[in-house]
């Protein structure tokens, strides 16, 4: 449950990392990401937008069926700090309902769009029982359009690799070709180094919910 701060990494002695993907699902790039993790028997967390789940519900079901986690990224991707408390609650609740419809369970993690947070947003996250998830590789900026380049995304992310690191990438909205290629390379390298790829839920369980921010 949220303690009023973003979780960027969790303490663990195990060689595990959590890859997360925002703004999907997308019929091209999400499937490419699924293929990457299938080859290494790894799992990831997809912070999906409710509207995109409405548009591609069968794909969201594929993600869940493959054993990946679906996290809450609101229904329409607004800056929650610019909304009333009621409007923000509605955004989170609608997305949660879409996820429950696909997975049969309440999501356990939440990533606010643009990482825009304040006391009200943290309060809402606690109300829903969410961990509020950040990342360690924000400088990779894979969300920029045009994208900053495969090598740049890799360089900025590799500098943040550690046990329990949470990485942010995007599989929706815009051309994510560079992101997919960077993830393909990074997953292969980390697998060779003995890292396992786990969901946010699994990572939090490994750490016993002892947060390191």
């Amino acid at each position: 449950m949220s303690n009023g701060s973003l979780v960027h990494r969790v303490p663990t002695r195990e060689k595990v990392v959590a890859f997360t993907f925002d703004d999907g699902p997308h019929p091209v790039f999400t499937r490419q990401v699924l293929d990457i993790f299938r080859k290494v028997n790894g799992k990831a967390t997809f912070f999906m937008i409710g509207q995109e789940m409405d548009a591609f519900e069968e794909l969201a079901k594929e993600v869940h069926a493959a054993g990946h986690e679906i996290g809450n990224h609101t229904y329409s991707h607004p800056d929650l700090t610019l909304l009333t408390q009621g409007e923000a609650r509605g955004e989170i609740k609608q997305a949660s309902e879409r996820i429950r419809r696909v997975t049969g369970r309440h999501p356990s993690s939440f990533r606010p769009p643009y990482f825009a947070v304040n006391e009200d947003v943290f309060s809402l996250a606690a109300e829903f029982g969410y961990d509020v998830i950040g990342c360690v590789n924000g400088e990779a900026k894979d969300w920029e359009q045009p994208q900053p380049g495969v090598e740049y995304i890799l360089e900025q992310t590799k500098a943040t690799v550690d046990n329990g690191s949470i990485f942010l990438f995007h599989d929706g909205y815009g051309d994510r070709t560079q992101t997919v290629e960077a993830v393909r390379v990074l997953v292969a390298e980390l697998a060779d180094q003995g890292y396992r790829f786990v969901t946010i839920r699994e990572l939090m369980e490994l750490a016993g919910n002892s947060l390191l921010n």
Side-chain angles (χ1 to χ4, degrees):
M1 184 176 295
S2 170
N3 66 348
S5 61
L6 291 163
V7 181
H8 304 296
R9 183 169 65 90
V10 301
T12 176
R13 294 180 179 177
E14 296 193 41
K15 294 189 74 172
V16 294
V17 290
F19 279 72
T20 68
F21 297 88
D22 285 11
D23 296 356
H26 186 282
V28 174
F29 302 115
T30 301
R31 285 199 170 95
Q32 291 176 352
V33 170
L34 291 178
D35 185 59
I36 291 169
F37 283 89
R38 184 181 303 115
K39 290 177 179 178
V40 296
N41 194 31
K43 298 296 181 282
T45 299
F46 293 79
F47 285 97
M48 295 186 179
I49 298 172
Q51 287 181 337
E52 299 306 305
M53 294 184 72
D54 285 348
F56 304 107
E57 185 169 333
E58 291 306 310
L59 178 53
K61 290 178 180 177
E62 285 182 38
V63 171
H64 173 64
H68 302 284
E69 181 179 359
I70 299 178
N72 191 321
H73 199 43
T74 72
Y75 184 73
S76 66
H77 203 273
D79 181 334
L80 294 178
T81 66
L82 302 180
L83 304 183
T84 67
Q85 185 92 337
E87 290 168 339
R89 180 181 290 107
E91 279 282 339
I92 296 171
K93 185 172 185 292
Q94 274 189 286
S96 178
E97 289 170 349
R98 296 305 187 277
I99 295 168
R100 184 187 291 273
R101 186 168 69 193
V102 166
T103 68
R105 66 189 302 183
H106 179 73
S108 63
S109 58
F110 166 65
R111 176 173 282 146
Y114 316 108
F115 291 126
V117 291
N118 57 20
E119 288 185 10
D120 287 344
V121 173
F122 282 121
S123 175
L124 285 170
E127 180 181 313
F128 282 87
Y130 288 144
D131 293 307
V132 187
I133 305 303
C135 69
V136 295
N137 68 326
E139 289 303 310
K141 298 181 179 178
D142 86 304
W143 59 81
E144 290 187 341
Q145 296 289 337
Q147 288 192 282
V150 173
E151 288 305 316
Y152 181 87
I153 296 170
L154 281 171
E155 178 185 340
Q156 296 299 319
T157 302
K158 287 180 182 180
T160 66
V161 173
D162 197 0
N163 293 356
S165 288
I166 298 171
F167 304 128
L168 164 66
F169 300 100
H170 291 73
D171 63 330
Y173 278 105
D175 182 2
R176 300 303 180 188
T177 304
Q178 292 181 12
T179 291
V180 171
E181 183 56 30
V183 167
R184 191 186 315 279
V185 171
L186 188 61
V187 164
E189 291 185 1
L190 292 180
D192 286 344
Q193 294 171 27
Y195 280 94
R196 292 190 299 115
F197 309 104
V198 298
T199 65
I200 293 294
R201 185 187 294 270
E202 291 169 329
L203 189 61
M204 299 301 289
E205 289 174 353
L206 275 176
N209 289 328
S210 175
L211 309 185
L212 179 63
N213 299 299

